[in-house]
Amino acid sequence: MDTLDKKLTSIFDGKVVRKDLLHRIKKGTNVPTFVLEFLLARYCASDDIAEIQAGLEAVLETLQDNYVRPNEANKAQSKVATKGKYRFIDKVHVNYVENDRRHWAALENFDSRRVAISEKFYRDHDRLLQGGLWAEVTIAYNEIEDDDYAFYIEDLRPIQLSRFDFERYCEGRNEFSRNEWLDVVLRSVGLEPSKLSQRVKMHFIARLMPLVEPNYNFIELGPRGTGKSYFFSEFSPYSTLVSGGQATKATLFYNNQRKKIGLVGFWDTVAFDEVGGIKVKDQDTIQIMKDFMANGRFSRGVEVIADASMAFVGNLDLSVEQIVNSEVYDLFQPLPKEFDLAVMDRFACYLPGWEMPKNSSDFLTNNYGFITDYIAEAFHYQLKQTNRYQEVSKRIRLGASVEGRDEKGIKKTVAAFLKILHPTGSPSDEEFEEYVAYAVETRRRVKEQMNKRKSDDEFAKINLSYLDSKGQEIVVYCPESKLAHATQVPARRDIHAGGNKQETQPPQKTTATVPTVTKLPLVEAKESSPELPLPELQEQHFTIHYGATGYNYESIINPYLEGAKSVEIEDPYIRVTHQIQNFVRFCEAIIKTPSVRKITLITSYDDETDVKEMASRLGELKQSLLELDIALDVKVNEHMHDREIRIDNGWTVKIGRGLDFFQKPDSWFGVGVNDLMLRKCLETKVDIFKRSSQ
């Protein structure tokens, strides 16, 4: 134990843990950090070597006996059935299944989606309903054979602090200098500050800002393997990481079908990993995101206000030197095309990920730091309960080039520094100016890239500055672009004409000497041909012959879905497994039309149908569609025989065999199993016609 360890353990007794113990256990399991430290704090809260060793063995034993590994789900279920009940450490989700009119719990690694749960648990812990929650959970076996579930939750204890004393936290902070506290925070996230430069220390603190400042918009792009997503996936139980995939307004913001707020209402931070891979289904999602990033509120029929910060992390595939000296590329290059200048302008901080060290055990600490859950609670309390923005506004003085969103972003960054490093009291002038300079730089990085993209001077005031305590104006530069002429004085090209004519309009001259660099090759833009009007949709009547290929639901129906909001399908044979799978494929095809919001299925069943299984599978599909803000309504008509698809824009599609016109594959490992365009068909007639207006 060094001097800082002794000081920390004496002032925050019971709130700290040796981080090297975490490193030892972490390598052997995929359990989140705050779960491991929860156990370490329980069993290893001592500085006695023998007690720590015994506690470490107890932690390992607990993980061995109680942590459910994904490949041991069957063993865990058998253990509950044999012993009557058993306590596990697992992530618990709770879903409302409308078909059953009740809530079911799903345990991630226990691998059961129909675990009964008492209302008191999800009423007291909202996160069970949105995203799930790691917990110590006692699963009991249901002996009643008539019930439709085998397991129920008898007890549930979230793995997080039950109470947090912010005043005590602040009192302890007052015993440390600013630099000591900075090192304590870094050790708490597992890093050894003595191995890091002051600038890199500030970068790591900046990664924590979305966890402590409400509605804080943060972006970090850089090389792979620097731990960009760790802080959001492992450090705090109050943040969630969205890993690529489709970003929908129902999931992120508000689900109109369920009348439920999305992720931004349940988490302090919503982080997007691999931001370049995000797929945006419709433009409304981006518009709502802009509104939310601007002021923490949006409207989707109801006015919603939330505190969640948004963080975006991703990878740069080009070298920074290439980018800043290129007239074509900019440091926002990996972002999806839907992220326009209005989204970029809302970023308060662009952290230079290329300056971060690669993940290495050399940078891990063997000293004491806060239990991750404890410091996460401190950050959560400050995000919800404290406001340092007004304090910063009274003290900060910014230069003339700082405009509206620049000022807001800079002030929020400085306020976040104060919350993390000065939860009580104020920093010295020197410390305050260090925070301001960093905040101005990370905002300038955003503005430089927008100025590079814009064909006019809207963002040309890039020389952001502040006034120090002596009244002297200090212009802040970004180290990577200070000498890059292509970034400081970007060429103004006509982005619409596609020609090579350039008008160089230096927004603010820089006297720096520009080094000679090899520019990336310009990609010539081809002249776009005038768009031809789309052909008018015609009625169609044709036969799909036996053995034909080249057909799927999308190719037949999607051209007729333009402007459609609801689709109604009558088909008596949506009952057994392969027929329901066809219906799933049909739904996947039509929801690619963004305007569709409702699907109605009218079907039937006979005496041989397993109605319970049929209802269960359609219920799962219904829940899946609800996540995309699409309602599925299932109706049963025992005497129906017709097969017809009716679209609310007036078109009707009749397929003689209904959806079941594909042959069964000769082999389930052959071509055509997954891609229906390659699968052979049965013979059927297809009629597509416009219904006469009533």
Side-chain angles (χ1 to χ4, degrees), residues 209-217 268 306-309 382-384 386 412 419:
M209 289 178 179
L211 301 172
V212 76
E213 180 68 15
N215 304 129
Y216 186 79
N217 304 315
D268 290 355
D307 292 326
S309 295
Q382 291 181 92
L383 183 140
K384 293 294 185 182
T386 65
K412 287 180 78 69
K419 288 183 177 182

Side-chain angles (χ1 to χ4, degrees), residues 458-495:
E458 181 180 354
F459 303 111
K461 293 182 179 180
I462 60 174
N463 282 341
L464 307 186
S465 62
Y466 69 94
L467 276 65
D468 64 15
S469 56
K470 300 175 183 177
Q472 181 180 357
E473 184 175 7
I474 310 294
V475 177
V476 180
Y477 293 89
C478 301
E480 73 279 356
S481 61
K482 183 176 181 180
L483 304 180
H485 188 275
T487 298
Q488 299 302 318
V489 191
R492 298 300 188 204
R493 287 175 290 115
D494 187 342
I495 62 173

Side-chain angles (χ1 to χ4, degrees), residues 30 67-76 108-111:
N30 61 353
Y67 174 65
V68 186
R69 288 166 178 78
N71 62 343
E72 297 178 348
N74 189 54
K75 176 182 175 183
E108 199 161 276
N109 294 337
F110 188 75
D111 196 26

Side-chain angles (χ1 to χ4, degrees), residues 312-484:
F312 302 85
V313 296
N315 303 317
L316 283 174
D317 292 323
L318 300 174
S319 76
V320 174
E321 184 180 359
Q322 280 183 309
I323 294 173
V324 298
N325 290 293
S326 166
E327 294 178 355
V328 179
Y329 296 102
D330 59 66
L331 292 172
F332 282 133
Q333 173 258 333
L335 296 185
K337 66 181 188 305
E338 292 86 359
F339 280 40
D340 57 17
L341 289 170
V343 174
M344 298 171 190
D345 198 20
R346 286 158 168 78
F347 291 131
C349 172
Y350 186 144
L351 191 149
W354 50 89
E355 295 185 20
M356 303 299 280
K358 288 275 189 178
N359 292 336
S360 168
S361 57
D362 293 340
F363 296 104
L364 300 179
T365 186
N366 293 324
N367 298 86
Y368 281 83
F370 284 123
I371 298 168
T372 302
D373 197 48
Y374 180 72
I375 195 169
E377 285 292 335
F379 289 173
H380 172 69
Y381 179 92
Q382 291 181 92
L383 183 140
K384 293 294 185 182
Q385 306 293 335
T386 65
N387 186 343
R388 306 297 290 275
Y389 190 86
Q390 293 303 319
E391 178 185 340
V392 172
S393 297
K394 292 176 182 178
R395 189 169 176 180
I396 198 170
R397 292 184 295 170
L398 300 171
S401 294
V402 177
E403 299 172 303
R405 288 216 169 99
D406 303 329
E407 180 179 355
K408 181 179 180 181
I410 291 168
K411 288 180 177 180
K412 287 180 78 69
T413 299
V414 176
F417 268 122
L418 297 190
K419 288 183 177 182
I420 296 170
L421 299 177
H422 306 270
T424 183
S426 299
S428 66
D429 287 342
E430 183 181 355
E431 292 165 348
F432 187 78
E433 288 172 17
E434 183 182 5
Y435 306 148
V436 174
Y438 188 93
V440 172
E441 178 200 318
T442 54
R443 174 59 192 178
R444 175 175 180 142
R445 188 169 288 110
V446 173
K447 204 167 186 183
E448 281 184 352
Q449 309 316 307
M450 293 192 298
N451 184 45
K452 219 173 171 184
R453 288 197 173 198
K454 200 73 164 68
S455 59
D456 58 25
D457 291 341
E458 181 180 354
F459 303 111
K461 293 182 179 180
I462 60 174
N463 282 341
L464 307 186
S465 62
Y466 69 94
L467 276 65
D468 64 15
S469 56
K470 300 175 183 177
Q472 181 180 357
E473 184 175 7
I474 310 294
V475 177
V476 180
Y477 293 89
C478 301
E480 73 279 356
S481 61
K482 183 176 181 180
L483 304 180

Side-chain angles (χ1 to χ4, degrees), residues 622-633:
K622 187 172 189 175
Q623 291 300 314
S624 177
L625 287 168
L626 276 176
E627 296 297 333
L628 300 174
D629 207 3
I630 296 171
L632 171 62
D633 187 15

Side-chain angles (χ1 to χ4, degrees), residues 27 38 47 87 123 153 159 161 192 234-235 266 296 312 347 380 405 409 428 484 495 512 561 589 595 633 673:
K27 292 178 182 178
F38 171 82
D47 57 1
R87 177 180 294 177
R123 184 185 63 228
I153 291 178
I159 294 180
L161 297 180
E192 179 47 53
E234 298 275 357
F235 181 73
F266 288 88
F312 302 85
F347 291 131
H380 172 69
R405 288 216 169 99
S428 66
I495 62 173
L561 287 172
S595 59
D633 187 15
V673 169

Side-chain angles (χ1 to χ4, degrees), residues 574 580 583 601 614-622 632 634:
I574 308 292
I580 296 174
F583 182 59
L601 170 64
M614 171 186 169
S616 174
R617 289 172 175 173
L618 289 173
E620 288 181 28
L621 175 59
K622 187 172 189 175
L632 171 62
V634 179

Side-chain angles (χ1 to χ4, degrees), residues 542-557:
F542 58 91
T543 299
I544 298 175
H545 296 286
Y546 184 88
T549 59
Y551 296 95
N552 64 9
Y553 306 125
E554 193 170 341
S555 65
I556 294 173
I557 195 173

